[in-house]
Amino acid sequence: MSAHISLITLGVADVAKATSFYDRLGFVRSKRASQESVSFFQAGPVVLALWGRDAQRDDADAAELWTGNGGIVVAQNLPSEDAVDVMMARAEASGARILKPAAKTFWGGYDGYFADPDGHVWEVAFNPFWELDEDGRVRLSE
């Protein structure tokens, strides 16, 4: 078996409200796979899921562990600084809170951070040292 990630689930307060936010960001929801209590979006090679925070906590039996944000950042790498600026503007227009406006980084790239309506932190970045394929997937050299 290869090590990989196929699904990222964000626990949200209101699935319908969160679904609307991610629709506005440009993610395409699978109407066939989604239900009232959970939404699934194709996000490149992985699936992004939105599920009720309490349902996710109870399903994982993780009440003792999940006392707040776990410090995870979801990132989207884009092909240019201009593309980062466009996505940051789209996020803000969709209802995101800008945490750090896009700017040059200490490591030679360009990034910004926003929080979705449930407080999940996203980084939007251009990394000139990484290749993106035609589908926008990062291809790391071995």
PDB file of all heavy atoms in Angstrom, residues 80-82 84-85 88 100-113 123-129:
ATOM      1  N   SER A  80       1.107  31.258  -9.749  1.00  0.00           N
ATOM      2  CA  SER A  80       1.707  32.584  -9.809  1.00  0.00           C
ATOM      3  C   SER A  80       1.257  33.428  -8.621  1.00  0.00           C
ATOM      4  O   SER A  80       0.268  33.116  -7.947  1.00  0.00           O
ATOM      5  CB  SER A  80       1.299  33.295 -11.099  1.00  0.00           C
ATOM      6  OG  SER A  80      -0.087  33.616 -11.062  1.00  0.00           O
ATOM      7  N   GLU A  81       1.973  34.528  -8.407  1.00  0.00           N
ATOM      8  CA  GLU A  81       1.579  35.483  -7.378  1.00  0.00           C
ATOM      9  C   GLU A  81       0.220  36.087  -7.710  1.00  0.00           C
ATOM     10  O   GLU A  81      -0.613  36.280  -6.820  1.00  0.00           O
ATOM     11  CB  GLU A  81       2.638  36.575  -7.234  1.00  0.00           C
ATOM     12  CG  GLU A  81       3.947  36.061  -6.670  1.00  0.00           C
ATOM     13  CD  GLU A  81       5.010  37.138  -6.540  1.00  0.00           C
ATOM     14  OE1 GLU A  81       4.695  38.348  -6.693  1.00  0.00           O
ATOM     15  OE2 GLU A  81       6.176  36.776  -6.266  1.00  0.00           O
ATOM     16  N   ASP A  82      -0.010  36.392  -8.983  1.00  0.00           N
ATOM     17  CA  ASP A  82      -1.301  36.954  -9.391  1.00  0.00           C
ATOM     18  C   ASP A  82      -2.449  36.003  -9.065  1.00  0.00           C
ATOM     19  O   ASP A  82      -3.515  36.438  -8.620  1.00  0.00           O
ATOM     20  CB  ASP A  82      -1.311  37.273 -10.889  1.00  0.00           C
ATOM     21  CG  ASP A  82      -0.456  38.487 -11.233  1.00  0.00           C
ATOM     22  OD1 ASP A  82      -0.155  39.301 -10.328  1.00  0.00           O
ATOM     23  OD2 ASP A  82      -0.080  38.627 -12.414  1.00  0.00           O
ATOM     24  N   VAL A  84      -2.533  33.847  -6.662  1.00  0.00           N
ATOM     25  CA  VAL A  84      -2.727  33.916  -5.208  1.00  0.00           C
ATOM     26  C   VAL A  84      -3.597  35.121  -4.856  1.00  0.00           C
ATOM     27  O   VAL A  84      -4.549  35.008  -4.077  1.00  0.00           O
ATOM     28  CB  VAL A  84      -1.364  33.971  -4.470  1.00  0.00           C
ATOM     29  CG1 VAL A  84      -1.566  34.281  -2.979  1.00  0.00           C
ATOM     30  CG2 VAL A  84      -0.603  32.664  -4.649  1.00  0.00           C
ATOM     31  N   ASP A  85      -3.281  36.277  -5.448  1.00  0.00           N
ATOM     32  CA  ASP A  85      -4.062  37.483  -5.178  1.00  0.00           C
ATOM     33  C   ASP A  85      -5.532  37.307  -5.567  1.00  0.00           C
ATOM     34  O   ASP A  85      -6.431  37.720  -4.833  1.00  0.00           O
ATOM     35  CB  ASP A  85      -3.469  38.684  -5.920  1.00  0.00           C
ATOM     36  CG  ASP A  85      -2.128  39.123  -5.350  1.00  0.00           C
ATOM     37  OD1 ASP A  85      -1.831  38.827  -4.170  1.00  0.00           O
ATOM     38  OD2 ASP A  85      -1.367  39.770  -6.096  1.00  0.00           O
ATOM     39  N   MET A  88      -7.207  34.953  -2.979  1.00  0.00           N
ATOM     40  CA  MET A  88      -7.403  35.643  -1.694  1.00  0.00           C
ATOM     41  C   MET A  88      -8.587  36.607  -1.789  1.00  0.00           C
ATOM     42  O   MET A  88      -9.399  36.689  -0.861  1.00  0.00           O
ATOM     43  CB  MET A  88      -6.123  36.375  -1.281  1.00  0.00           C
ATOM     44  CG  MET A  88      -4.973  35.459  -0.891  1.00  0.00           C
ATOM     45  SD  MET A  88      -5.261  34.513   0.623  1.00  0.00           S
ATOM     46  CE  MET A  88      -5.189  35.829   1.844  1.00  0.00           C
ATOM     47  N   LYS A 100      -3.720  36.911   7.065  1.00  0.00           N
ATOM     48  CA  LYS A 100      -2.459  37.522   6.634  1.00  0.00           C
ATOM     49  C   LYS A 100      -2.587  37.793   5.142  1.00  0.00           C
ATOM     50  O   LYS A 100      -2.683  36.854   4.346  1.00  0.00           O
ATOM     51  CB  LYS A 100      -1.299  36.563   6.887  1.00  0.00           C
ATOM     52  CG  LYS A 100       0.044  37.075   6.403  1.00  0.00           C
ATOM     53  CD  LYS A 100       1.123  36.002   6.531  1.00  0.00           C
ATOM     54  CE  LYS A 100       2.258  36.324   5.584  1.00  0.00           C
ATOM     55  NZ  LYS A 100       3.079  35.176   5.289  1.00  0.00           N
ATOM     56  N   PRO A 101      -2.589  39.055   4.738  1.00  0.00           N
ATOM     57  CA  PRO A 101      -2.665  39.352   3.300  1.00  0.00           C
ATOM     58  C   PRO A 101      -1.481  38.732   2.556  1.00  0.00           C
ATOM     59  O   PRO A 101      -0.394  38.563   3.126  1.00  0.00           O
ATOM     60  CB  PRO A 101      -2.607  40.878   3.239  1.00  0.00           C
ATOM     61  CG  PRO A 101      -3.035  41.337   4.593  1.00  0.00           C
ATOM     62  CD  PRO A 101      -2.559  40.275   5.550  1.00  0.00           C
ATOM     63  N   ALA A 102      -1.692  38.398   1.309  1.00  0.00           N
ATOM     64  CA  ALA A 102      -0.627  37.789   0.500  1.00  0.00           C
ATOM     65  C   ALA A 102       0.568  38.727   0.396  1.00  0.00           C
ATOM     66  O   ALA A 102       0.407  39.930   0.195  1.00  0.00           O
ATOM     67  CB  ALA A 102      -1.156  37.433  -0.884  1.00  0.00           C
ATOM     68  N   ALA A 103       1.764  38.135   0.539  1.00  0.00           N
ATOM     69  CA  ALA A 103       3.007  38.911   0.488  1.00  0.00           C
ATOM     70  C   ALA A 103       4.162  37.956   0.202  1.00  0.00           C
ATOM     71  O   ALA A 103       4.030  36.731   0.323  1.00  0.00           O
ATOM     72  CB  ALA A 103       3.234  39.627   1.821  1.00  0.00           C
ATOM     73  N   LYS A 104       5.295  38.527  -0.148  1.00  0.00           N
ATOM     74  CA  LYS A 104       6.521  37.742  -0.334  1.00  0.00           C
ATOM     75  C   LYS A 104       6.856  37.055   0.989  1.00  0.00           C
ATOM     76  O   LYS A 104       6.639  37.613   2.062  1.00  0.00           O
ATOM     77  CB  LYS A 104       7.691  38.637  -0.744  1.00  0.00           C
ATOM     78  CG  LYS A 104       7.495  39.351  -2.059  1.00  0.00           C
ATOM     79  CD  LYS A 104       7.983  38.507  -3.190  1.00  0.00           C
ATOM     80  CE  LYS A 104       7.963  39.336  -4.484  1.00  0.00           C
ATOM     81  NZ  LYS A 104       8.104  38.523  -5.642  1.00  0.00           N
ATOM     82  N   THR A 105       7.418  35.841   0.888  1.00  0.00           N
ATOM     83  CA  THR A 105       7.769  35.081   2.087  1.00  0.00           C
ATOM     84  C   THR A 105       9.274  35.079   2.318  1.00  0.00           C
ATOM     85  O   THR A 105      10.058  35.380   1.412  1.00  0.00           O
ATOM     86  CB  THR A 105       7.311  33.617   1.955  1.00  0.00           C
ATOM     87  OG1 THR A 105       8.077  32.993   0.917  1.00  0.00           O
ATOM     88  CG2 THR A 105       5.829  33.527   1.638  1.00  0.00           C
ATOM     89  N   PHE A 106       9.670  34.672   3.518  1.00  0.00           N
ATOM     90  CA  PHE A 106      11.089  34.573   3.848  1.00  0.00           C
ATOM     91  C   PHE A 106      11.779  33.467   3.056  1.00  0.00           C
ATOM     92  O   PHE A 106      12.983  33.491   2.878  1.00  0.00           O
ATOM     93  CB  PHE A 106      11.273  34.335   5.356  1.00  0.00           C
ATOM     94  CG  PHE A 106      10.821  32.981   5.817  1.00  0.00           C
ATOM     95  CD1 PHE A 106      11.705  31.913   5.855  1.00  0.00           C
ATOM     96  CD2 PHE A 106       9.506  32.763   6.194  1.00  0.00           C
ATOM     97  CE1 PHE A 106      11.286  30.654   6.265  1.00  0.00           C
ATOM     98  CE2 PHE A 106       9.079  31.515   6.617  1.00  0.00           C
ATOM     99  CZ  PHE A 106       9.978  30.462   6.652  1.00  0.00           C
ATOM    100  N   TRP A 107      11.008  32.485   2.564  1.00  0.00           N
ATOM    101  CA  TRP A 107      11.602  31.330   1.867  1.00  0.00           C
ATOM    102  C   TRP A 107      11.605  31.498   0.345  1.00  0.00           C
ATOM    103  O   TRP A 107      11.981  30.590  -0.378  1.00  0.00           O
ATOM    104  CB  TRP A 107      10.917  30.021   2.284  1.00  0.00           C
ATOM    105  CG  TRP A 107       9.415  30.042   2.264  1.00  0.00           C
ATOM    106  CD1 TRP A 107       8.584  30.314   3.305  1.00  0.00           C
ATOM    107  CD2 TRP A 107       8.560  29.780   1.147  1.00  0.00           C
ATOM    108  NE1 TRP A 107       7.261  30.260   2.898  1.00  0.00           N
ATOM    109  CE2 TRP A 107       7.223  29.922   1.571  1.00  0.00           C
ATOM    110  CE3 TRP A 107       8.796  29.450  -0.194  1.00  0.00           C
ATOM    111  CZ2 TRP A 107       6.139  29.738   0.730  1.00  0.00           C
ATOM    112  CZ3 TRP A 107       7.695  29.260  -1.027  1.00  0.00           C
ATOM    113  CH2 TRP A 107       6.391  29.408  -0.565  1.00  0.00           C
ATOM    114  N   GLY A 108      11.190  32.659  -0.142  1.00  0.00           N
ATOM    115  CA  GLY A 108      11.272  32.932  -1.576  1.00  0.00           C
ATOM    116  C   GLY A 108       9.979  32.767  -2.343  1.00  0.00           C
ATOM    117  O   GLY A 108       9.957  32.931  -3.557  1.00  0.00           O
ATOM    118  N   GLY A 109       8.901  32.467  -1.658  1.00  0.00           N
ATOM    119  CA  GLY A 109       7.603  32.317  -2.312  1.00  0.00           C
ATOM    120  C   GLY A 109       6.707  33.509  -2.049  1.00  0.00           C
ATOM    121  O   GLY A 109       7.169  34.621  -1.751  1.00  0.00           O
ATOM    122  N   TYR A 110       5.408  33.266  -2.142  1.00  0.00           N
ATOM    123  CA  TYR A 110       4.397  34.312  -1.982  1.00  0.00           C
ATOM    124  C   TYR A 110       3.166  33.630  -1.418  1.00  0.00           C
ATOM    125  O   TYR A 110       2.709  32.619  -1.975  1.00  0.00           O
ATOM    126  CB  TYR A 110       4.106  34.918  -3.354  1.00  0.00           C
ATOM    127  CG  TYR A 110       3.166  36.096  -3.362  1.00  0.00           C
ATOM    128  CD1 TYR A 110       3.621  37.372  -3.043  1.00  0.00           C
ATOM    129  CD2 TYR A 110       1.838  35.950  -3.729  1.00  0.00           C
ATOM    130  CE1 TYR A 110       2.775  38.474  -3.089  1.00  0.00           C
ATOM    131  CE2 TYR A 110       0.979  37.034  -3.773  1.00  0.00           C
ATOM    132  CZ  TYR A 110       1.457  38.300  -3.449  1.00  0.00           C
ATOM    133  OH  TYR A 110       0.614  39.383  -3.501  1.00  0.00           O
ATOM    134  N   ASP A 111       2.648  34.104  -0.277  1.00  0.00           N
ATOM    135  CA  ASP A 111       1.467  33.453   0.283  1.00  0.00           C
ATOM    136  C   ASP A 111       0.644  34.395   1.127  1.00  0.00           C
ATOM    137  O   ASP A 111       1.074  35.490   1.479  1.00  0.00           O
ATOM    138  CB  ASP A 111       1.825  32.194   1.079  1.00  0.00           C
ATOM    139  CG  ASP A 111       2.531  32.469   2.401  1.00  0.00           C
ATOM    140  OD1 ASP A 111       2.746  33.652   2.756  1.00  0.00           O
ATOM    141  OD2 ASP A 111       2.878  31.505   3.090  1.00  0.00           O
ATOM    142  N   GLY A 112      -0.576  33.949   1.416  1.00  0.00           N
ATOM    143  CA  GLY A 112      -1.481  34.632   2.315  1.00  0.00           C
ATOM    144  C   GLY A 112      -2.316  33.589   3.036  1.00  0.00           C
ATOM    145  O   GLY A 112      -2.353  32.418   2.620  1.00  0.00           O
ATOM    146  N   TYR A 113      -2.960  34.000   4.117  1.00  0.00           N
ATOM    147  CA  TYR A 113      -3.772  33.072   4.907  1.00  0.00           C
ATOM    148  C   TYR A 113      -5.163  33.657   5.137  1.00  0.00           C
ATOM    149  O   TYR A 113      -5.303  34.864   5.357  1.00  0.00           O
ATOM    150  CB  TYR A 113      -3.135  32.836   6.282  1.00  0.00           C
ATOM    151  CG  TYR A 113      -1.886  31.999   6.245  1.00  0.00           C
ATOM    152  CD1 TYR A 113      -0.651  32.561   5.977  1.00  0.00           C
ATOM    153  CD2 TYR A 113      -1.948  30.632   6.492  1.00  0.00           C
ATOM    154  CE1 TYR A 113       0.499  31.798   5.958  1.00  0.00           C
ATOM    155  CE2 TYR A 113      -0.797  29.851   6.473  1.00  0.00           C
ATOM    156  CZ  TYR A 113       0.423  30.445   6.214  1.00  0.00           C
ATOM    157  OH  TYR A 113       1.555  29.679   6.186  1.00  0.00           O
ATOM    158  N   GLU A 123      -3.949  28.335   3.665  1.00  0.00           N
ATOM    159  CA  GLU A 123      -2.847  29.073   3.063  1.00  0.00           C
ATOM    160  C   GLU A 123      -3.032  29.008   1.555  1.00  0.00           C
ATOM    161  O   GLU A 123      -3.320  27.944   1.003  1.00  0.00           O
ATOM    162  CB  GLU A 123      -1.501  28.442   3.423  1.00  0.00           C
ATOM    163  CG  GLU A 123      -0.325  29.112   2.733  1.00  0.00           C
ATOM    164  CD  GLU A 123       0.988  28.362   2.876  1.00  0.00           C
ATOM    165  OE1 GLU A 123       0.958  27.137   3.116  1.00  0.00           O
ATOM    166  OE2 GLU A 123       2.031  28.997   2.718  1.00  0.00           O
ATOM    167  N   VAL A 124      -2.862  30.144   0.898  1.00  0.00           N
ATOM    168  CA  VAL A 124      -2.873  30.199  -0.564  1.00  0.00           C
ATOM    169  C   VAL A 124      -1.475  30.641  -0.952  1.00  0.00           C
ATOM    170  O   VAL A 124      -1.012  31.693  -0.511  1.00  0.00           O
ATOM    171  CB  VAL A 124      -3.943  31.183  -1.090  1.00  0.00           C
ATOM    172  CG1 VAL A 124      -3.958  31.185  -2.608  1.00  0.00           C
ATOM    173  CG2 VAL A 124      -5.318  30.828  -0.532  1.00  0.00           C
ATOM    174  N   ALA A 125      -0.776  29.807  -1.749  1.00  0.00           N
ATOM    175  CA  ALA A 125       0.650  30.056  -1.956  1.00  0.00           C
ATOM    176  C   ALA A 125       1.099  29.847  -3.392  1.00  0.00           C
ATOM    177  O   ALA A 125       0.536  29.030  -4.130  1.00  0.00           O
ATOM    178  CB  ALA A 125       1.469  29.127  -1.053  1.00  0.00           C
ATOM    179  N   PHE A 126       2.140  30.587  -3.742  1.00  0.00           N
ATOM    180  CA  PHE A 126       2.923  30.344  -4.951  1.00  0.00           C
ATOM    181  C   PHE A 126       4.313  29.958  -4.468  1.00  0.00           C
ATOM    182  O   PHE A 126       4.952  30.710  -3.723  1.00  0.00           O
ATOM    183  CB  PHE A 126       2.990  31.588  -5.832  1.00  0.00           C
ATOM    184  CG  PHE A 126       4.063  31.510  -6.888  1.00  0.00           C
ATOM    185  CD1 PHE A 126       4.011  30.539  -7.880  1.00  0.00           C
ATOM    186  CD2 PHE A 126       5.136  32.377  -6.869  1.00  0.00           C
ATOM    187  CE1 PHE A 126       5.014  30.449  -8.846  1.00  0.00           C
ATOM    188  CE2 PHE A 126       6.136  32.308  -7.828  1.00  0.00           C
ATOM    189  CZ  PHE A 126       6.075  31.343  -8.814  1.00  0.00           C
ATOM    190  N   ASN A 127       4.759  28.774  -4.865  1.00  0.00           N
ATOM    191  CA  ASN A 127       6.093  28.295  -4.508  1.00  0.00           C
ATOM    192  C   ASN A 127       6.885  28.141  -5.802  1.00  0.00           C
ATOM    193  O   ASN A 127       6.637  27.200  -6.566  1.00  0.00           O
ATOM    194  CB  ASN A 127       6.011  26.965  -3.770  1.00  0.00           C
ATOM    195  CG  ASN A 127       7.358  26.472  -3.291  1.00  0.00           C
ATOM    196  OD1 ASN A 127       8.395  26.821  -3.842  1.00  0.00           O
ATOM    197  ND2 ASN A 127       7.344  25.633  -2.264  1.00  0.00           N
ATOM    198  N   PRO A 128       7.829  29.033  -6.062  1.00  0.00           N
ATOM    199  CA  PRO A 128       8.574  28.963  -7.318  1.00  0.00           C
ATOM    200  C   PRO A 128       9.500  27.753  -7.417  1.00  0.00           C
ATOM    201  O   PRO A 128      10.039  27.490  -8.487  1.00  0.00           O
ATOM    202  CB  PRO A 128       9.371  30.273  -7.319  1.00  0.00           C
ATOM    203  CG  PRO A 128       9.543  30.620  -5.884  1.00  0.00           C
ATOM    204  CD  PRO A 128       8.281  30.130  -5.203  1.00  0.00           C
ATOM    205  N   PHE A 129       9.637  27.015  -6.329  1.00  0.00           N
ATOM    206  CA  PHE A 129      10.536  25.858  -6.304  1.00  0.00           C
ATOM    207  C   PHE A 129       9.796  24.537  -6.549  1.00  0.00           C
ATOM    208  O   PHE A 129      10.418  23.490  -6.625  1.00  0.00           O
ATOM    209  CB  PHE A 129      11.286  25.794  -4.970  1.00  0.00           C
ATOM    210  CG  PHE A 129      11.935  27.098  -4.617  1.00  0.00           C
ATOM    211  CD1 PHE A 129      11.414  27.893  -3.611  1.00  0.00           C
ATOM    212  CD2 PHE A 129      13.038  27.563  -5.326  1.00  0.00           C
ATOM    213  CE1 PHE A 129      12.000  29.110  -3.288  1.00  0.00           C
ATOM    214  CE2 PHE A 129      13.633  28.779  -5.010  1.00  0.00           C
ATOM    215  CZ  PHE A 129      13.108  29.549  -3.992  1.00  0.00           C
TER     216      PHE A 129
END
